[in-house]
């Protein structure tokens, strides 16, 4: 199956209502697993230390009012009705917003950006408006400000990195607090001393089991996710209805915002500090936007408004109704969720709660993998091994290194804190920080992408930003009581991301400054001044124009090269997907008789990189189609000051490559001709091109295609650059630390290029170079 097919489009908008309802049901397990289990720990964290539950019920009524309006304003109004509309070609998340803004603001996310990238069909999503705003508008003024001031661009990048780092930190904290809160139901059936000795080991075992199953992916057990969450939501809503009618039918009166005023008036500073626990009722709301690419906007909206939102409200109202009639609370752990559950169904519900917590944790872990994949694709995170666990469902990935790091950190948090109070403080700060970042980026999207007035943007950030800033301050004040954990995690991840981005940028600048002049290539003559070897030679380079310095280094020390030479650039573009027919940009370097080409393969931050065999076939077909189209003029003779992408041609999949393995061919030794043949005995490969409509080829193109087929039959060699970066003498202390130690440590311990993972070692040649930046 071709994983690329259909991955760059979102066809769900045209699907029937049956499909939309099916997606809405499936989204319960993927999107709302984390949000649905928040009733397990909201009241328990809110009444932990800051406030007490009195007989007047003003505290519990005020907390319920806060929970109701927080759920209504943030997940329902902000995300469902506003943020979900700001998708990047059907994709959501922090980096989707960031890439969307960078495209509309004319900011280069990557240094290798080209003008031809703007011609990609995914570069400007239909309905966003034009990339270039009308003159005289606020969007044009804001766009000009971002283009002219590098400081604003850096602040925007740091803001996006902060949101991504906090999401990664949430991937550590959410599994810990979710599973621990679900297991905490054991505390009602044993003494406090005993249940503390049981909860932590049981939670750790479940977490180890959860992370150990990640390499199987969610495809095999994913069909259970939606039924588990649906069952959980049904149970907590029915228990909520029971508690409302049995204990306090008038609890609905507490939904009035007047009770929030009474709550803050009575509790004052302690009530403000307790907002950090109320905040936990919206944990997981960001998943509605982050997982948008797997579903449609309408399906996510239907699932939340018709199932999740009413079920959550009934659950919180039921707990409040029970607590309003029980004022004999002796310990904070008796304010938890299970105390309001009838004793007969407490044990079955405990099992369902644990399963729901595992499902919610699974969704957060998968989201963490996804955000790291996006960061790595855009050059903000070291390359890691990406394993696609499903060939049918796009986006299901597994990252081994990150999985085990998350598991170790998650176990450390669980064993270190051993209570939901500190875990809740940590998780709340991570969640509200991501929401604040989304609010800030959305205010820019309203002006830059939707071309609305600044007044609407200011109203958006003032209204939602004030609410979230209030919760953020209440969470930050708990710094010593657990909130330091997400700050520490985000600081470490941001340092790693920025060091990698800075080193990548300096490396690219070095390659641009040291690229070889085209006149040097032309001076080598029609035969490039060296002996030509059978086959195709691929030189990997980050450059999109010019001749890399590694080429001169190679031919200076080894004056022999392949009959077909390709400068290959694997480039990421700030869009989620690139259509296969827009994947390759092909051009010619030097005169036609040199047989030197430049191929730029463009991938989006959600694209799947094919294995080496499929990639080789697509690469050869793109060169063949470039030769056939007749656009292969002598680009090398053009002025070097012109942009490279002005000389490149976008090629589709008009050619098909048919290959058949034949009998092994014994290649003879060196001949007297200009061609040196390899003495290696290898299987003979028969290659032919299938043209789309059998076009008439002129003699030169036919000869060039024939030579390309012969070179493909002879084999393909990959020439990689093994670089070592060092700061120039005289550089500052910080730069030396970042480059010589930070970046080099990350480079030595990260994966190689994605396309080079499966390359046979016999076909690979590494050329060492020292980059002095």
């Amino acid at each position: 199956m071709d994983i690329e097919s259909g991955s760059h489009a979102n066809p769900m908008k045209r699907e029937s209502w049956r499909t939309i309802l099916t997606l809405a049901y499936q989204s319960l397990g993927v999107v709302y697993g984390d949000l649905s289990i928040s009733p397990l720990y909201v009241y328990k964290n809110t009444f932990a230390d800051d406030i007490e539950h009195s007989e007047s019920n003003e505290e519990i009524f005020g907390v319920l009012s806060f929970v109701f309006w927080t759920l209504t304003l943030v997940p329902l109004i902000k995300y469902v009705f506003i943020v979900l509309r700001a998708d990047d070609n059907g994709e959501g998340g922090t980096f989707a917003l960031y890439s969307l803004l960078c495209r509309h603001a004319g900011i280069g996310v990557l240094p290798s950006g080209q003008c031809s990238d703007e011609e990609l069909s995914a570069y400007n999503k239909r309905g966003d408006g034009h990339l270039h705003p009308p003159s005289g508008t606020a969007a044009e003024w804001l766009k000009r400000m971002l283009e002219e001031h590098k400081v604003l661009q850096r602040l925007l990048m740091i803001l996006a990195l902060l949101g991504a780092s906090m999401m990664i930190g949430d991937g550590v904290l959410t599994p810990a607090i979710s599973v621990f809160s679900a297991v905490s139901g054991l505390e009602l059936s044993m003494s406090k001393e005993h249940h503390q000795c049981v909860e932590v080991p049981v939670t750790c075992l479940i977490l180890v089991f959860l992370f150990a199953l990640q390499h199987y992916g969610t495809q095999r057990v994913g069909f259970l996710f939606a039924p588990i969450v649906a069952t959980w939501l049904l149970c907590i809503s029915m228990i909520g209805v029971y508690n409302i009618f049995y204990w306090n039918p008038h609890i609905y009166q507490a939904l009035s915002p007047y009770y929030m005023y009474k709550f803050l008036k009575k509790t004052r500073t302690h009530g403000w500090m307790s907002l950090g626990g109320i905040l936990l009722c919206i944990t997981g709301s960001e998943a509605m936007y982050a997982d948008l690419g797997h579903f449609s906007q309408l399906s996510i909206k239907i699932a939340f408004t018709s199932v999740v939102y009413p079920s959550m409200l009934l659950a919180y109202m039921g707990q409040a109704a029970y607590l309003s009639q029980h004022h004999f609370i002796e310990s904070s752990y008796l304010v938890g969720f299970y105390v309001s559950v009838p004793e007969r169904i407490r044990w079955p519900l405990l099992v369902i709660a644990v399963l729901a917590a595992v499902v919610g944790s699974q969704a957060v872990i998968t989201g963490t993998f996804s955000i790291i994949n996006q960061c790595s694709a855009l050059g903000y995170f070291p390359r890691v091994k990406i394993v696609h666990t499903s060939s049918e469902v796009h986006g299901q990935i597994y990252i081994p290194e990150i999985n085990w790091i998350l598991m170790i950190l998650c176990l450390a948090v669980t064993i270190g804190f051993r209570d939901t109070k500190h875990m809740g403080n940590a998780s709340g700060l991570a969640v509200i920080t991501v929401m604040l970042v989304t609010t800030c980026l959305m205010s820019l999207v309203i002006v830059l992408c939707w071309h609305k007035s600044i007044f609407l943007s200011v109203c958006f950030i003032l209204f939602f930003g004030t609410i979230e800033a209030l919760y953020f301050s209440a969470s930050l004040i708990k710094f010593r009581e657990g909130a330091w954990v997400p700050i520490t995690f985000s600081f470490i991840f941001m340092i790693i991301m920025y060091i990698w981005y800075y080193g990548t940028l300096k490396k690219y600048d070095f390659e641009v400054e040291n690229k070889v002049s085209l006149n040097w290539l032309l001076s080598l003559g029609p035969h490039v001044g060296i002996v030509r070897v059978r086959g195709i030679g691929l030189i990997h380079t980050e450059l999109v124009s010019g001749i890399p310095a590694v080429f001169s280094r190679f031919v200076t020390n080894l004056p022999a090269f392949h009959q077909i030479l390709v400068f290959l650039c694997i480039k990421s573009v700030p869009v989620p997907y690139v259509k296969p027919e827009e994947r390759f940009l092909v051009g010619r370097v030097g005169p036609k008789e040199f047989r030197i080409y430049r191929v730029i393969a463009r991938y989006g931050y959600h694209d799947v990189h094919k294995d080496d065999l499929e990639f080789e076939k697509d690469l050869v077909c793109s060169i063949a189609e470039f030769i056939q189209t007749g656009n292969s003029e002598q680009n090398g003779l053009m002025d070097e000051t012109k942009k490279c992408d002005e000389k490149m041609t976008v090629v589709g999949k008009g050619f098909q490559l048919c290959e058949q393995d034949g009998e092994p061919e014994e290649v003879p030794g060196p001949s007297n001709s200009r061609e040196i043949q390899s003495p290696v005995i290898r299987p003979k490969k028969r290659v032919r091109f299938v043209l789309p409509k059998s076009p008439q080829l002129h003699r030169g193109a036919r000869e060039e295609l024939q030579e390309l087929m012969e070179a493909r039959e002879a084999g393909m060699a990959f020439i990689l650059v093994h670089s070592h970066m060092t700061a120039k003498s005289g550089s500052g202390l910080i730069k030396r630390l970042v480059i010589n130690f930070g970046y080099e440590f990350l480079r030595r311990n990260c994966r190689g290029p994605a396309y080079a993972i499966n390359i046979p070692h016999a076909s690979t040649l590494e050329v060492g170079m020292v980059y002095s930046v």
Side-chain angles (χ1 to χ4, degrees), residues 21-333:
L21 293 177
T22 302
L23 286 174
Y25 171 72
Q26 293 174 348
S27 69
L28 293 176
V30 177
V31 178
Y32 299 109
D34 185 17
L35 182 61
S36 64
I37 57 177
S38 58
L40 287 171
Y41 43 77
V42 169
Y43 285 137
K44 185 174 182 179
N45 275 69
T46 304
F47 289 96
D49 284 330
D50 303 313
I51 57 176
E52 296 180 358
H53 178 43
S54 64
E55 295 185 5
S56 64
N57 285 325
E58 289 183 354
E59 294 86 0
I60 190 63
F61 287 176
V63 170
L64 177 60
S65 183
F66 265 106
V67 168
F68 168 73
W69 287 106
T70 304
L71 276 173
T72 302
L73 293 176
V74 178
L76 184 63
I77 304 298
K78 176 188 171 182
Y79 280 95
V80 170
F81 292 109
I82 300 177
V83 176
L84 285 180
R85 295 178 54 210
D87 63 302
D88 184 11
N89 295 275
E91 294 295 324
T94 303
F95 265 84
L97 275 180
Y98 178 60
S99 64
L100 194 65
L101 286 171
C102 288
R103 298 204 304 270
H104 284 79
I107 303 172
V109 182
L110 300 167
S112 57
Q114 297 172 278
C115 295
S116 59
D117 295 339
E118 297 185 9
E119 300 174 1
L120 292 170
S121 58
Y123 208 83
N124 183 25
K125 187 181 77 70
R126 293 185 298 272
D128 278 346
H130 302 288
L131 281 174
H132 304 288
S135 59
T137 61
E140 184 195 27
W141 173 80
L142 184 58
K143 180 176 184 292
R144 188 168 61 251
M145 288 285 291
L146 288 172
E147 287 177 342
E148 294 176 355
H149 296 84
K150 296 291 184 182
V151 177
L152 297 180
Q153 297 178 19
R154 289 291 176 88
L155 289 177
L156 188 64
M157 181 190 70
I158 292 174
L159 194 64
L161 293 182
L162 175 62
S165 301
M166 282 294 182
M167 288 190 67
I168 297 173
D170 191 35
V172 175
L173 298 168
T174 295
I177 187 174
S178 300
V179 177
F180 190 87
S181 299
V183 176
S184 65
L186 297 172
E187 64 191 6
L188 297 179
S189 59
M190 58 183 67
S191 63
K192 186 175 181 179
E193 293 76 15
H194 288 89
H195 79 74
Q196 288 183 346
C197 300
V198 174
E199 282 179 346
V200 174
V202 172
T203 302
C204 292
L205 286 177
I206 295 175
L207 289 174
V208 171
F209 178 76
L210 173 63
F211 283 98
L213 291 180
Q214 292 301 311
H215 70 281
Y216 291 109
T218 58
Q219 184 183 11
R220 298 183 182 180
V221 294
F223 67 95
L224 293 174
F225 285 0
I228 289 174
V229 176
T231 304
W232 167 252
L233 290 173
L234 178 63
C235 290
I236 62 176
S237 59
M238 292 179 63
I239 293 172
V241 171
Y242 168 79
N243 286 331
I244 291 172
F245 284 97
Y246 189 82
W247 296 110
N248 192 349
H250 301 288
I251 193 65
Y252 66 89
Q253 297 177 356
L255 302 182
S256 171
Y258 173 69
Y259 285 94
M260 291 192 294
Y261 168 75
K262 292 184 64 177
F263 172 77
L264 292 177
K265 183 179 179 181
K266 180 180 180 180
T267 57
R268 299 183 181 274
T269 305
H270 295 289
W272 166 64
M273 295 178 65
S274 68
L275 295 180
I278 299 174
L279 162 67
L280 298 176
C281 71
I282 54 175
T283 56
S285 300
E286 188 72 22
M288 286 192 287
Y289 183 56
D291 295 330
L292 182 60
H294 303 296
F295 305 94
S296 62
Q297 291 185 23
L298 187 57
S299 63
I300 291 179
K301 292 178 180 179
I302 290 175
F304 182 79
T305 55
S306 62
V307 179
V308 180
Y309 181 71
S311 299
M312 301 287 289
L313 288 184
L314 290 174
Y316 287 116
M317 291 174 66
Q319 290 185 62
Y322 176 87
L323 294 175
S324 66
Q325 301 299 320
H326 295 79
H327 309 106
F328 50 85
I329 306 301
E330 299 177 356
S331 178
S332 62
Y333 78 90

Side-chain angles (χ1 to χ4, degrees), residues 4 116 119-120 566 568 578-588 597-602 615-633 635 645 647-656 689 692 705 708:
E4 286 182 345
S116 59
E119 300 174 1
L120 292 170
V566 180
L568 174 64
V578 176
K579 293 182 178 180
E581 58 268 22
E582 299 175 335
R583 173 84 65 219
F584 291 100
L585 277 172
V586 184
R588 191 185 297 279
Y597 308 93
R598 182 186 312 283
V599 178
I600 300 176
R602 301 178 290 187
F615 181 79
E616 288 179 19
K617 289 182 178 180
D618 291 344
L619 180 68
V620 174
C621 286
S622 67
I623 298 175
E625 185 172 351
F626 170 76
I627 296 172
Q628 180 266 328
T629 54
N631 294 326
S632 54
E633 56 265 82
N635 292 331
D645 51 334
K647 303 179 285 183
M648 305 292 287
T649 302
V650 180
V651 294
K653 288 192 172 182
F655 271 65
Q656 293 182 3
F689 293 111
L705 283 175
L708 180 62

Side-chain angles (χ1 to χ4, degrees), residues 214-219 387-391 393 395-398:
Q214 292 301 311
H215 70 281
Y216 291 109
T218 58
Q219 184 183 11
V387 179
H388 293 270
T389 58
S390 173
S391 60
V393 181
Q396 291 190 4
I397 60 175
Y398 166 67

Side-chain angles (χ1 to χ4, degrees), residues 537-540 550 554 561-562 717-721 763 765-767:
L538 288 180
I539 297 182
H540 175 254
V550 66
F554 188 89
F561 224 93
H562 299 81
F718 295 80
I719 293 88
L720 306 178
V721 181
S763 302
L765 180 64
E766 287 190 343
V767 180

Side-chain angles (χ1 to χ4, degrees), residues 651-662:
V651 294
K653 288 192 172 182
F655 271 65
Q656 293 182 3
L657 186 65
C658 296
E659 298 182 348
Q660 295 179 352
D661 293 331

Side-chain angles (χ1 to χ4, degrees), residues 19 101 171 214 253 262 312 316 367 391 401 423 441 511 551 667 684 695 702 735 751:
T19 304
L101 286 171
Q214 292 301 311
Q253 297 177 356
K262 292 184 64 177
M312 301 287 289
Y316 287 116
S391 60
E401 301 94 334
M423 295 182 192
L441 296 179
E511 291 187 352
F551 177 68
V667 184
K684 178 71 175 177
R702 189 176 297 276
K735 183 178 180 180
R751 298 275 175 168

